[in-house]
Amino acid sequence: MESSKEQHLFETETCLIILNVAFDQYNASLLNYFFFFFLPRLMTFILEIKRSSGLRFRRVLNETPVSVLRLPRGPEPNSRGFDPTSPRFIALCPTTLPSSSSSSGSADEEEQRLRAELRERFLRTLLLMTGKRVRFDMHEHVRVHARFGASDIDVLNLQVCDLETPLGVQREALLRSQDVIACSFEV
Amino acid sequence: MAMRQTPLTCSGHTRPVVDLAFSGITPYGYFLISACKDGKPMLRQGDTGDWIGTFLGHKGAVWGATLNKEATKAATAAADFTAKVWDAVTGDEVLTLAHKHIVKSVNFTEDSTCLLTGGNDKVLRIYDLGKPEAEPLEIAGHTSAIKKALWCNNDQQILSAADDRTVRLWDKNTKEAVKTLAFDASVSSMEYIPDGEILVITYGRTIAFYNANSLDLIKAVDAPASIHSASLHPEKDFFVAGGDDFKLYKYDYTTKEEMESYKGHFGPIHCVRFSPDGELYASGSEDGTLRLWQTAVGKTYGLWKCVLPENLDGKYNTAI
């Protein structure tokens, strides 16, 4: 390393001497300067860079970085967050219904009872649908047939098999519940 | 095939991140709160680092932040002489507790009914969150600013670390110091592991592990640089530490050997904590970022994806 530095120094000095002589002897032009001084130094510099980066590249190649699906989402610039449509917010937040007096209390209870009954009916329908050939009516006049498998806990997605689409029969598919308007099947 | 750790960088803070805490595991996953000198602590999803919300209200640097086990409440300690309790679901401020000096540390009890605060006024205060107007229980004894205060031993005792280079164990009922530990250097951080009653204390370049009941030394490890914070894995296999040299060190707890060191932060690391399931650890630094690191590098978890060796070689290109 030291010897090459010395060599460079020697080269530089030689170049400078030549240049000085050249200035005196010839019409020193920029072209002369370029070829006799600048270019050799540039070539050496480039070669050194190539050599050192080559080593680094080889070491990096031995270890593969773990791949990442995406980066964590950052804060929104105009909002403080705490999305009210997130499942956690909806589940854990106190209801915004006004506190009821005793007279309307029973009306609320009746409504709650009816809601519970409808929910139970819906869940039982889902249970009955499993394994059956169901017709899904979706947005944009899309009507497909498939064999219903299951839905997820929040009924956001419906898992189906043998979904008949204009492109062919999809062996396994996931339908987004918000796209489905109605589903009908033979009991 | 050797895998290189890819840390996930959570940006958003504009000033150094000085404290961070994880919640317990809830039906919606676990959460992470970060305290920052910009006065805006943030709540994030623990396994992905996605930002959920910012608690707005403090008028000074936030020095300490904590979540309760169910991640329904958050508490923050700030330089504006207040500690605030927040609803961690809506982000609304629930309570403001005025103090006489900068508040540095807050900690909930297991049932989230009481809040312990400690700060530069050298007094530990216990607030009953059911009766916030009532005067708090005060425990005095430290001779300089309290850096960290934690509940321990089933919320019957309190551990506090202060700038007077001592760590004291207090009994909540008698308000007396049961035990005192003196150190040569100021204690930079303290972590309490209830399962196993282990206390992790960092001071100078040392990471020491103590029994939380008797304050007996279990073991001590020296690091290459001054350490600001350390955390022990829930299964007590390893611990991680970070400090002044911007690097995170991972040590084997049993053999005390350094296993790995990770570069990535652009400033000294102020806080490091393992997640409640032990799959990742988070570090907060002077550079204003939080980074999430995998415990088992290469495993599919959160946003990290395991890539099989065949796919890397390029030999098997057919889709499944």
Side-chain angles (χ1 to χ4, degrees):
Chain A
M1 195 59 154
E2 285 306 301
S3 59
S4 70
K5 271 194 187 159
E6 278 175 45
Q7 198 178 354
H8 283 151
L9 213 64
F10 176 76
E11 277 175 29
T12 320
E13 282 177 23
T14 322
C15 286
L16 280 171
I17 293 168
I18 293 172
L19 213 62
N20 269 327
V21 171
F23 270 124
D24 291 336
Q25 300 270 351
Y26 309 106
N27 261 337
S29 66
L30 267 173
L31 215 62
N32 276 336
Y33 178 75
F34 181 77
F35 279 117
F36 291 116
F37 183 71
F38 183 69
L39 206 56
R41 306 290 284 121
L42 184 67
M43 292 308 296
T44 327
F45 183 66
I46 289 171
L47 283 167
E48 271 188 35
I49 291 290
K50 271 200 152 157
R51 203 178 58 230
S52 59
S53 66
L55 279 169
R56 252 186 291 132
F57 189 62
R58 243 175 281 136
R59 194 178 65 227
V60 161
L61 212 54
N62 284 334
E63 277 184 338
T64 340
V66 178
S67 45
V68 156
L69 294 171
R70 59 168 173 83
L71 290 175
R73 286 187 208 112
E76 277 159 44
N78 298 321
S79 135
R80 66 172 185 141
F82 299 103
D83 182 15
T85 60
S86 71
R88 191 172 93 109
F89 191 105
I90 293 166
L92 295 177
C93 262
T95 64
T96 49
L97 289 172
S99 58
S100 52
S101 59
S102 56
S103 59
S104 57
S106 52
D108 278 346
E109 276 173 25
E110 176 63 13
E111 191 186 327
Q112 183 64 24
R113 194 189 63 77
L114 288 169
R115 280 178 191 272
E117 203 185 295
L118 285 171
R119 177 75 182 170
E120 196 181 326
R121 264 209 234 167
F122 171 67
L123 292 171
R124 286 194 190 283
T125 313
L126 279 183
L127 274 174
L128 204 58
M129 243 167 45
T130 50
K132 298 231 171 45
R133 192 156 179 272
V134 178
R135 191 188 77 196
F136 292 97
D137 295 326
M138 304 171 83
H139 287 292
E140 304 288 344
H141 305 289
V142 169
R143 195 174 272 190
V144 285
H145 289 87
R147 193 160 295 279
F148 182 73
S151 90
D152 62 359
I153 188 91
D154 297 312
V155 197
L156 289 170
N157 297 294
L158 305 171
Q159 180 249 322
V160 293
C161 309
D162 301 326
L163 176 72
E164 289 161 27
T165 74
L167 288 171
V169 176
Q170 196 71 21
R171 217 158 357 122
E172 300 287 341
L174 212 60
L175 293 176
R176 229 178 8 193
S177 309
Q178 67 196 67
D179 295 342
V180 175
I181 298 173
C183 37
S184 50
F185 64 102
E186 296 285 322
V187 170
Chain B
M1 169 73 68
M3 301 293 280
R4 201 172 74 227
Q5 168 96 260
T6 310
L8 293 172
T9 307
C10 307
S11 57
H13 284 304
T14 50
R15 299 283 315 280
V17 175
V18 287
D19 194 21
L20 62 91
F22 279 97
S23 71
I25 300 178
T26 76
Y28 301 92
Y30 54 89
F31 299 86
L32 165 62
I33 188 171
S34 51
C36 178
K37 286 190 187 174
D38 63 8
K40 301 195 180 77
M42 290 189 182
L43 183 72
R44 295 177 187 270
Q45 190 71 43
D47 55 343
T48 56
D50 290 336
W51 174 81
I52 293 175
T54 306
F55 298 104
L56 298 172
H58 273 302
K59 295 186 184 69
V62 178
W63 286 100
T66 188
L67 286 168
N68 67 347
K69 211 161 66 162
E70 303 83 31
T72 48
K73 283 195 234 183
T76 51
D80 60 0
F81 294 17
T82 64
K84 286 185 197 265
V85 179
W86 312 79
D87 180 325
V89 184
T90 60
D92 297 329
E93 189 184 313
V94 167
L95 208 56
T96 301
L97 305 163
H99 288 67
K100 295 190 177 63
H101 212 305
I102 294 172
V103 193
K104 281 276 177 80
S105 170
V106 271
N107 198 231
F108 281 109
T109 49
E110 282 287 302
D111 55 6
S112 314
T113 51
C114 290
L115 182 72
L116 171 68
T117 64
N120 286 12
D121 58 359
K122 310 168 199 169
V123 172
L124 290 160
R125 287 190 174 81
I126 301 165
Y127 290 86
D128 183 344
L129 295 174
K131 290 187 240 120
E133 317 81 35
E135 282 302 306
L137 222 67
E138 289 186 6
I139 301 177
H142 273 294
T143 53
S144 67
I146 295 167
K147 249 195 171 139
K148 192 96 186 166
L150 300 169
W151 289 105
C152 69
N153 194 9
N154 255 339
D155 301 335
Q156 294 309 307
Q157 291 181 316
I158 293 166
L159 272 161
S160 60
D163 279 343
D164 56 7
R165 302 180 182 185
T166 62
V167 166
R168 292 175 205 223
L169 181 65
W170 310 84
D171 185 289
K172 177 184 103 165
N173 302 314
T174 64
K175 302 207 260 178
E176 293 293 316
V178 172
K179 268 209 148 112
T180 306
L181 273 176
F183 297 94
D184 303 322
S186 190
V187 173
S188 42
S189 87
M190 208 161 66
E191 191 196 23
Y192 170 64
I193 317 276
D195 173 30
E197 298 284 334
I198 300 178
L199 189 61
V200 184
I201 296 179
T202 57
Y203 56 93
R205 291 181 178 212
T206 319
I207 306 139
F209 298 88
Y210 286 83
N211 179 306
N213 292 325
S214 58
L215 285 191
D216 290 330
L217 177 67
I218 302 174
K219 57 179 84 177
V221 180
D222 276 329
S226 184
I227 295 292
H228 291 186
S229 178
S231 181
L232 179 62
H233 189 267
E235 278 164 35
K236 297 156 197 73
D237 301 331
F238 15 75
F239 62 93
V240 285
D244 272 340
D245 63 353
F246 311 2
K247 286 202 258 196
L248 258 172
Y249 295 96
K250 184 170 166 188
Y251 288 84
D252 183 310
Y253 180 63
T254 332
T255 64
K256 305 203 291 185
E257 269 170 36
E258 183 187 315
M259 289 165 69
E260 278 267 28
S261 71
Y262 299 110
K263 285 200 272 196
H265 275 296
F266 295 104
I269 294 166
H270 289 305
C271 45
V272 150
R273 281 290 176 267
F274 263 105
S275 64
D277 59 1
E279 294 283 354
L280 57 81
Y281 44 100
S283 59
S285 154
E286 184 80 14
D287 63 11
T289 62
L290 264 121
R291 270 167 217 254
L292 301 177
W293 310 79
Q294 275 185 297
T295 308
V297 180
K299 187 173 169 184
T300 300
Y301 182 84
L303 296 176
W304 290 289
K305 200 175 84 156
C306 169
V307 178
L308 296 173
E310 296 92 60
N311 295 346
L312 287 171
D313 285 341
K315 273 192 263 186
Y316 306 95
N317 278 323
T318 54
I320 299 161

